[in-house]
CSV table of all heavy atoms in Angstrom, one decimal:
chain,number,residue,atom,x,y,z
A,201,GLU,N,-15.8,-5.8,7.5
A,201,GLU,CA,-16.8,-5.6,8.3
A,201,GLU,C,-16.4,-5.4,9.8
A,201,GLU,O,-16.7,-4.5,10.4
A,201,GLU,CB,-17.8,-6.9,8.4
A,201,GLU,CG,-18.5,-7.0,7.0
A,201,GLU,CD,-19.2,-8.3,6.8
A,201,GLU,OE1,-18.9,-9.2,7.6
A,201,GLU,OE2,-20.1,-8.4,5.9
A,202,GLN,N,-15.3,-6.2,10.2
A,202,GLN,CA,-14.8,-6.1,11.5
A,202,GLN,C,-14.0,-4.6,11.7
A,202,GLN,O,-14.1,-4.0,12.6
A,202,GLN,CB,-13.8,-7.1,11.8
A,202,GLN,CG,-13.3,-7.1,13.2
A,202,GLN,CD,-12.2,-8.2,13.5
A,202,GLN,OE1,-11.4,-8.6,12.7
A,202,GLN,NE2,-12.2,-8.6,14.8
A,203,ALA,N,-13.3,-4.2,10.5
A,203,ALA,CA,-12.6,-3.0,10.5
A,203,ALA,C,-13.6,-1.8,10.8
A,203,ALA,O,-13.3,-0.9,11.6
A,203,ALA,CB,-12.0,-2.8,9.2
A,204,VAL,N,-14.8,-1.9,10.2
A,204,VAL,CA,-15.8,-0.8,10.3
A,204,VAL,C,-16.2,-0.8,11.9
A,204,VAL,O,-16.3,0.3,12.5
A,204,VAL,CB,-16.9,-1.1,9.4
A,204,VAL,CG1,-18.1,0.0,9.8
A,204,VAL,CG2,-16.6,-0.7,7.9
A,205,GLU,N,-16.4,-1.9,12.4
A,205,GLU,CA,-16.7,-2.1,13.8
A,205,GLU,C,-15.6,-1.4,14.7
A,205,GLU,O,-16.0,-0.8,15.7
A,205,GLU,CB,-17.0,-3.5,14.2
A,205,GLU,CG,-18.3,-4.1,13.8
A,205,GLU,CD,-18.3,-5.7,14.2
A,205,GLU,OE1,-17.8,-6.0,15.3
A,205,GLU,OE2,-18.8,-6.4,13.4
A,206,TYR,N,-14.4,-1.6,14.3
A,206,TYR,CA,-13.3,-1.2,15.1
A,206,TYR,C,-13.0,0.4,14.9
A,206,TYR,O,-12.0,0.9,15.6
A,206,TYR,CB,-12.0,-2.0,14.8
A,206,TYR,CG,-12.0,-3.2,15.6
A,206,TYR,CD1,-12.9,-4.2,15.6
A,206,TYR,CD2,-10.7,-3.4,16.4
A,206,TYR,CE1,-12.8,-5.4,16.4
A,206,TYR,CE2,-10.6,-4.7,17.1
A,206,TYR,CZ,-11.6,-5.6,17.1
A,206,TYR,OH,-11.5,-6.8,17.8
A,207,GLY,N,-13.8,1.0,13.9
A,207,GLY,CA,-13.6,2.4,13.8
A,207,GLY,C,-12.8,2.9,12.6
A,207,GLY,O,-12.3,4.0,12.6
A,208,ALA,N,-12.5,1.9,11.7
A,208,ALA,CA,-11.8,2.3,10.4
A,208,ALA,C,-12.6,3.2,9.6
A,208,ALA,O,-13.8,3.1,9.5
A,208,ALA,CB,-11.4,1.0,9.7
A,209,GLU,N,-11.9,4.2,8.9
A,209,GLU,CA,-12.6,5.1,8.1
A,209,GLU,C,-12.5,4.6,6.6
A,209,GLU,O,-13.0,5.4,5.7
A,209,GLU,CB,-11.8,6.5,8.2
A,209,GLU,CG,-12.0,7.1,9.5
A,209,GLU,CD,-11.2,8.4,9.7
A,209,GLU,OE1,-11.6,9.4,9.1
A,209,GLU,OE2,-10.1,8.3,10.3
A,210,GLY,N,-12.0,3.4,6.4
A,210,GLY,CA,-12.0,2.9,5.1
A,210,GLY,C,-10.9,1.7,5.0
A,210,GLY,O,-10.4,1.4,6.0
A,211,VAL,N,-10.7,1.2,3.8
A,211,VAL,CA,-9.7,0.2,3.6
A,211,VAL,C,-8.5,0.8,2.8
A,211,VAL,O,-8.8,1.3,1.7
A,211,VAL,CB,-10.2,-1.1,3.0
A,211,VAL,CG1,-9.1,-1.9,2.4
A,211,VAL,CG2,-11.1,-1.8,4.0
A,212,GLY,N,-7.3,0.9,3.4
A,212,GLY,CA,-6.2,1.4,2.6
A,212,GLY,C,-5.4,0.4,1.9
A,212,GLY,O,-4.6,0.7,1.1
A,213,LEU,N,-5.7,-0.9,2.1
A,213,LEU,CA,-5.0,-1.9,1.4
A,213,LEU,C,-5.9,-3.1,1.4
A,213,LEU,O,-6.1,-3.8,2.4
A,213,LEU,CB,-3.7,-2.3,2.1
A,213,LEU,CG,-3.0,-3.6,1.6
A,213,LEU,CD1,-2.6,-3.5,0.2
A,213,LEU,CD2,-1.7,-3.8,2.5
A,214,MET,N,-6.4,-3.6,0.3
A,214,MET,CA,-7.0,-4.9,0.1
A,214,MET,C,-6.0,-5.7,-0.7
A,214,MET,O,-5.7,-5.4,-1.8
A,214,MET,CB,-8.3,-4.8,-0.6
A,214,MET,CG,-9.0,-6.2,-0.8
A,214,MET,SD,-10.2,-6.3,-2.1
A,214,MET,CE,-10.6,-8.0,-2.0
A,215,ARG,N,-5.6,-6.8,0.0
A,215,ARG,CA,-4.5,-7.7,-0.6
A,215,ARG,C,-5.3,-8.6,-1.6
A,215,ARG,O,-5.7,-9.7,-1.1
A,215,ARG,CB,-3.7,-8.4,0.4
A,215,ARG,CG,-3.0,-7.4,1.4
A,215,ARG,CD,-2.2,-8.2,2.4
A,215,ARG,NE,-1.6,-7.5,3.4
A,215,ARG,CZ,-2.3,-7.4,4.6
A,215,ARG,NH1,-3.4,-7.8,4.8
A,215,ARG,NH2,-1.6,-6.7,5.6
A,216,THR,N,-5.3,-8.4,-2.8
A,216,THR,CA,-6.1,-9.3,-3.8
A,216,THR,C,-5.4,-10.7,-4.0
A,216,THR,O,-6.0,-11.6,-4.4
A,216,THR,CB,-6.4,-8.6,-5.2
A,216,THR,OG1,-5.0,-8.3,-5.7
A,216,THR,CG2,-7.2,-7.4,-4.9
A,217,GLU,N,-4.0,-10.7,-3.6
A,217,GLU,CA,-3.4,-12.0,-4.0
A,217,GLU,C,-4.0,-13.2,-3.1
A,217,GLU,O,-3.8,-14.3,-3.4
A,217,GLU,CB,-1.8,-11.9,-3.7
A,217,GLU,CG,-1.4,-11.3,-2.3
A,217,GLU,CD,-1.4,-9.8,-2.3
A,217,GLU,OE1,-1.9,-9.1,-3.2
A,217,GLU,OE2,-0.9,-9.3,-1.3
A,218,PHE,N,-4.6,-12.8,-2.0
A,218,PHE,CA,-5.2,-13.9,-1.1
A,218,PHE,C,-6.3,-14.6,-2.0
A,218,PHE,O,-6.5,-15.8,-1.6
A,218,PHE,CB,-5.7,-13.2,0.2
A,218,PHE,CG,-4.5,-13.1,1.2
A,218,PHE,CD1,-3.8,-12.0,1.1
A,218,PHE,CD2,-4.1,-14.1,2.0
A,218,PHE,CE1,-2.7,-11.8,2.0
A,218,PHE,CE2,-3.0,-14.0,2.8
A,218,PHE,CZ,-2.3,-12.8,2.9
A,219,LEU,N,-6.9,-14.0,-2.8
A,219,LEU,CA,-7.9,-14.7,-3.7
A,219,LEU,C,-7.2,-15.7,-4.5
A,219,LEU,O,-7.9,-16.8,-4.7
A,219,LEU,CB,-8.4,-13.7,-4.8
A,219,LEU,CG,-9.3,-12.6,-4.3
A,219,LEU,CD1,-9.6,-11.6,-5.4
A,219,LEU,CD2,-10.6,-13.1,-3.7
A,220,PHE,N,-5.9,-15.6,-4.8
A,220,PHE,CA,-5.1,-16.5,-5.7
A,220,PHE,C,-4.5,-17.5,-4.8
A,220,PHE,O,-4.4,-18.7,-5.1
A,220,PHE,CB,-4.1,-15.9,-6.5
A,220,PHE,CG,-4.8,-14.9,-7.6
A,220,PHE,CD1,-5.3,-13.6,-7.3
A,220,PHE,CD2,-4.7,-15.2,-8.9
A,220,PHE,CE1,-5.9,-12.8,-8.2
A,220,PHE,CE2,-5.2,-14.3,-9.9
A,220,PHE,CZ,-5.8,-13.2,-9.6
A,221,LEU,N,-4.0,-17.1,-3.6
A,221,LEU,CA,-3.3,-18.0,-2.7
A,221,LEU,C,-4.2,-19.0,-2.0
A,221,LEU,O,-3.9,-20.3,-1.8
A,221,LEU,CB,-2.7,-17.2,-1.6
A,221,LEU,CG,-1.4,-16.3,-2.0
A,221,LEU,CD1,-1.1,-15.2,-1.0
A,221,LEU,CD2,-0.2,-17.2,-2.2
A,222,GLU,N,-5.5,-18.6,-1.8
A,222,GLU,CA,-6.3,-19.5,-1.0
A,222,GLU,C,-7.1,-20.4,-1.7
A,222,GLU,O,-7.8,-21.4,-1.2
A,222,GLU,CB,-7.2,-18.7,-0.1
A,222,GLU,CG,-6.5,-18.0,1.0
A,222,GLU,CD,-7.4,-17.1,1.9
A,222,GLU,OE1,-8.6,-16.9,1.6
A,222,GLU,OE2,-6.9,-16.7,3.0
A,223,SER,N,-7.4,-20.3,-3.0
A,223,SER,CA,-8.2,-21.2,-3.8
A,223,SER,C,-7.6,-22.3,-4.6
A,223,SER,O,-7.0,-22.1,-5.0
A,223,SER,CB,-9.1,-20.3,-4.8
A,223,SER,OG,-8.3,-19.9,-5.8
A,224,GLY,N,-6.6,-22.6,-4.9
A,224,GLY,CA,-5.9,-23.5,-5.8
A,224,GLY,C,-6.0,-23.2,-7.2
A,224,GLY,O,-5.6,-24.1,-8.0
A,225,GLU,N,-6.8,-22.2,-7.6
A,225,GLU,CA,-7.0,-21.9,-9.0
A,225,GLU,C,-7.2,-20.4,-9.1
A,225,GLU,O,-7.6,-19.6,-8.2
A,225,GLU,CB,-8.1,-22.6,-9.7
A,225,GLU,CG,-9.5,-22.5,-9.0
A,225,GLU,CD,-10.5,-23.3,-9.6
A,225,GLU,OE1,-10.2,-24.3,-10.2
A,225,GLU,OE2,-11.7,-22.9,-9.4
A,226,THR,N,-6.9,-19.9,-10.3
A,226,THR,CA,-7.1,-18.5,-10.6
A,226,THR,C,-8.6,-18.1,-10.6
A,226,THR,O,-9.4,-18.7,-11.3
A,226,THR,CB,-6.5,-18.0,-12.0
A,226,THR,OG1,-5.1,-18.5,-11.9
A,226,THR,CG2,-6.5,-16.6,-12.2
A,227,PRO,N,-9.0,-17.1,-9.8
A,227,PRO,CA,-10.4,-16.7,-9.8
A,227,PRO,C,-10.8,-16.0,-11.0
A,227,PRO,O,-10.0,-15.3,-11.6
A,227,PRO,CB,-10.5,-15.7,-8.6
A,227,PRO,CG,-9.0,-15.2,-8.4
A,227,PRO,CD,-8.2,-16.3,-8.8
A,228,THR,N,-12.0,-16.2,-11.5
A,228,THR,CA,-12.4,-15.6,-12.8
A,228,THR,C,-12.7,-14.2,-12.6
A,228,THR,O,-12.7,-13.6,-11.5
A,228,THR,CB,-13.7,-16.3,-13.2
A,228,THR,OG1,-14.8,-15.9,-12.3
A,228,THR,CG2,-13.6,-17.8,-13.4
A,229,GLU,N,-12.8,-13.4,-13.7
A,229,GLU,CA,-13.2,-12.0,-13.7
A,229,GLU,C,-14.5,-11.7,-12.9
A,229,GLU,O,-14.5,-10.9,-12.0
A,229,GLU,CB,-13.3,-11.5,-15.1
A,229,GLU,CG,-13.7,-10.0,-15.2
A,229,GLU,CD,-13.9,-9.5,-16.5
A,229,GLU,OE1,-13.2,-10.0,-17.5
A,229,GLU,OE2,-14.8,-8.6,-16.7
A,230,ASP,N,-15.5,-12.6,-13.1
A,230,ASP,CA,-16.7,-12.5,-12.4
A,230,ASP,C,-16.6,-12.7,-10.9
A,230,ASP,O,-17.3,-12.0,-10.1
A,230,ASP,CB,-17.8,-13.4,-13.0
A,230,ASP,CG,-18.4,-12.9,-14.4
A,230,ASP,OD1,-18.1,-11.6,-14.6
A,230,ASP,OD2,-18.9,-13.6,-15.2
A,231,GLU,N,-15.8,-13.6,-10.6
A,231,GLU,CA,-15.6,-14.0,-9.2
A,231,GLU,C,-15.0,-12.8,-8.4
A,231,GLU,O,-15.3,-12.4,-7.3
A,231,GLU,CB,-14.8,-15.3,-8.9
A,231,GLU,CG,-15.5,-16.5,-9.3
A,231,GLU,CD,-14.7,-17.8,-9.3
A,231,GLU,OE1,-13.4,-17.6,-9.6
A,231,GLU,OE2,-15.3,-18.9,-9.2
A,232,GLN,N,-13.9,-12.3,-9.1
A,232,GLN,CA,-13.3,-11.1,-8.6
A,232,GLN,C,-14.2,-9.9,-8.4
A,232,GLN,O,-14.3,-9.2,-7.4
A,232,GLN,CB,-12.0,-10.7,-9.4
A,232,GLN,CG,-10.9,-11.8,-9.3
A,232,GLN,CD,-9.7,-11.3,-10.1
A,232,GLN,OE1,-9.1,-10.3,-9.5
A,232,GLN,NE2,-9.3,-12.0,-11.1
A,233,TYR,N,-15.0,-9.6,-9.5
A,233,TYR,CA,-15.9,-8.5,-9.5
A,233,TYR,C,-16.9,-8.6,-8.3
A,233,TYR,O,-17.1,-7.7,-7.6
A,233,TYR,CB,-16.7,-8.5,-10.8
A,233,TYR,CG,-18.0,-7.7,-10.8
A,233,TYR,CD1,-18.1,-6.4,-10.8
A,233,TYR,CD2,-19.2,-8.6,-10.7
A,233,TYR,CE1,-19.3,-5.7,-10.8
A,233,TYR,CE2,-20.4,-7.8,-10.7
A,233,TYR,CZ,-20.5,-6.4,-10.7
A,233,TYR,OH,-21.7,-5.8,-10.6
Side-chain angles (χ1 to χ4, degrees):
E201 291 167 347
Q202 188 185 32
V204 171
E205 284 176 36
Y206 274 57
E209 296 174 75
V211 162
L213 168 63
M214 181 198 172
R215 302 181 186 92
T216 59
E217 55 273 11
F218 281 84
L219 295 169
F220 294 72
L221 286 162
E222 290 181 347
S223 71
E225 58 185 19
T226 301
T228 66
E229 178 185 326
D230 284 342
E231 286 169 339
Q232 292 186 66
Y233 159 76

